[in-house]
Amino acid sequence: PFKVKNSGTGKMNEFYQNSHKSLCLREEGKDLWGIPFDKLICGRAGTVDYYANGKLQILFGAGTQIYLIDRLGRYVTGFPLDLKKEILLGPDIYDFTGKKKYNIMVLHKDNTIEMYNLQGQKPASWKGITVSGETIKNLPERIDLGGSTFWIVRTSVQTLIFPFYGGEPLTVFEGNQKIRPDSEIKKLDGTTVEFTCYDGKVRTLALK
């Protein structure tokens, strides 16, 4: 189950999919509703204040689409959004400006990570994230340094760090100097991170 806040009661609810794929909302062990659904959720669900009025809706992905339903189980007008590519995992939800203009990150089945707004559009500057010859294992982890945002991406081989708008990784290491897939990425100051490489050595890199 996914923990979601119910803006009507102020309580934390559990949003889940049952064995028949129906979508359900439960509060304190009691089911509030269930609605039919025919696809599996892609491993994430979270809340957004889509209308910026204090009422929260539940955002999730299935197939190639992003869905938004309100706390009473009703689909929000304008959804689902069709991203045109199968979703493997996502969405993770971000509000970079704090003004409830949300962006989402999605890992697609074609080994790409994409950023979208809630109209299904990618930012004009977005370059995409993919890694040739390696499988991306999870959605990116956000790290903020000195007012800039970067993305930590774990692959089957290594950990990579990308700029906010994607493109080429900032960490291009060879052989045993590659960052271990399970390494912590530790902030040292407003520009520099520290990590552990395959050779066991701890190295640092200035991202700015």
Side-chain angles (χ1 to χ4, degrees), residues 115-196:
M115 182 189 291
Y116 303 92
N117 63 19
L118 292 192
Q119 287 73 49
Q121 300 159 331
K122 299 173 190 175
S125 303
W126 178 250
K127 301 181 181 74
I129 292 174
T130 191
V131 186
S132 179
E134 301 174 28
T135 303
I136 297 173
K137 304 298 281 184
N138 208 337
L139 283 161
E141 303 156 41
R142 179 181 179 177
I143 184 169
D144 294 307
L145 283 178
S148 299
T149 296
F150 302 89
W151 301 108
I152 301 165
V153 175
R154 314 278 183 179
T155 80
S156 52
V157 174
Q158 62 183 322
T159 297
L160 295 166
I161 302 174
F162 287 83
F164 178 71
Y165 285 113
E168 295 299 316
L170 301 169
T171 48
V172 185
F173 303 121
E174 298 297 325
N176 284 337
Q177 292 190 11
K178 288 179 178 176
I179 306 172
R180 290 172 53 97
D182 58 352
S183 172
E184 179 188 1
I185 306 296
K186 188 176 177 183
K187 288 192 274 190
L188 295 183
D189 52 36
T191 62
T192 308
V193 292
E194 178 184 271
F195 43 79
T196 304

